[in-house]
Amino acid sequence: MDYKSYRGDSPRRKKRHWLAAALLLLGLGLALFGALELVIAVHSRDRVAENPPPKVMVVFGCQMRRDGPSVLLRDRLDAALAYWEAHPDIKIVVTGGKGDDEHVSEAQGMYDYLTAHGVDGANIYMEDKSRNTWQNINNTFALMEREGWELTDDVLLVSSGFHLARIELLWNRARVQALRGETYGGQYISTLAAPVSHAPSAVQMFFREPLALVKSFLFDR
């Protein structure tokens, strides 16, 4: 009798253990997701140095469409234009290559948009070979070296708010690599968070960006 009872309870006991383990993993996953969203939220804000102001503004690309920049990219460009109007002498780097579904590079589309809104093309530098954020940043450092700019110059990084945590992580990592371990003093990284006016993109990035942040932390080196 006792033996049969033990055998009858065993599958239920195992099922409870698996359920408890699944709930624990789900709880840990939700806690990690919440922590990552908090990190993203903390970095999704303007933080711009004033004395001295940044010397270089780097605008990160997004999808180009046949009729012009996508809504997300236009948000970023309009934020950059608002800052440029108050600081017309700042150098501007536009960064982004040509995707398989794009007719021009993101950098070229951004150049065209900015010059159409009054920016002198001589002050815009295009990085048009990259396909992701890590390449954006490394190619931008290479451009800065070619132009003879100091890699320790204060910079202003412009992108959608949700993107800035990952950009700052990778910018600091790439800067250390570019300087080959040399000290770089107290360079201040300014950030300008463009609003996200396209609601579906905001929802998509709420779920996507934490995963992208983990991927970049682990693999973009």
Side-chain angles (χ1 to χ4, degrees), residues 12-108:
R12 287 198 294 269
R13 187 179 295 112
K14 288 181 179 179
K15 185 177 180 179
R16 287 197 298 270
H17 289 166
W18 279 110
L19 180 59
L23 290 174
L24 177 61
L25 289 175
L26 177 61
L28 291 174
L30 290 174
L32 176 60
F33 183 84
L36 291 170
E37 289 289 1
L38 179 60
V39 170
I40 292 168
V42 167
H43 288 81
S44 298
R45 59 188 179 87
D46 296 345
R47 192 175 69 250
V48 184
E50 295 182 359
N51 292 308
K55 299 177 181 178
V56 179
M57 176 164 58
V58 182
V59 189
F60 286 80
C62 195
Q63 187 179 26
M64 276 294 300
R65 301 185 182 278
R66 286 281 177 185
D67 58 350
S70 61
V71 177
L72 280 180
L73 184 52
R74 193 165 60 248
D75 288 340
R76 298 176 188 185
L77 291 167
D78 289 343
L81 281 169
Y83 187 83
W84 166 79
E85 288 174 356
H87 305 84
D89 295 328
I90 195 169
K91 301 182 183 74
I92 302 174
V93 178
V94 289
T95 178
K98 180 181 177 296
D100 296 334
D101 58 346
E102 295 174 314
H103 67 291
V104 296
S105 70
E106 293 169 7
Q108 182 64 60

Side-chain angles (χ1 to χ4, degrees), residues 48-58 83-84 87-93 123-125 144 148-157 171 187-190:
V48 184
E50 295 182 359
N51 292 308
K55 299 177 181 178
V56 179
M57 176 164 58
V58 182
Y83 187 83
W84 166 79
H87 305 84
D89 295 328
I90 195 169
K91 301 182 183 74
I92 302 174
V93 178
N123 286 338
I124 305 175
Y125 301 79
M144 292 173 71
W149 305 345
E150 292 292 334
L151 297 184
T152 54
D153 281 349
D154 291 344
V155 297
L156 172 62
L157 308 177
W171 187 274
Q187 182 196 26
Y188 184 85
I189 299 177
S190 296

Side-chain angles (χ1 to χ4, degrees), residues 108-126:
Q108 182 64 60
M110 296 160 77
Y111 177 95
D112 294 343
Y113 187 90
L114 292 174
T115 53
H117 286 76
V119 181
D120 184 351
N123 286 338
I124 305 175
Y125 301 79
M126 290 193 293

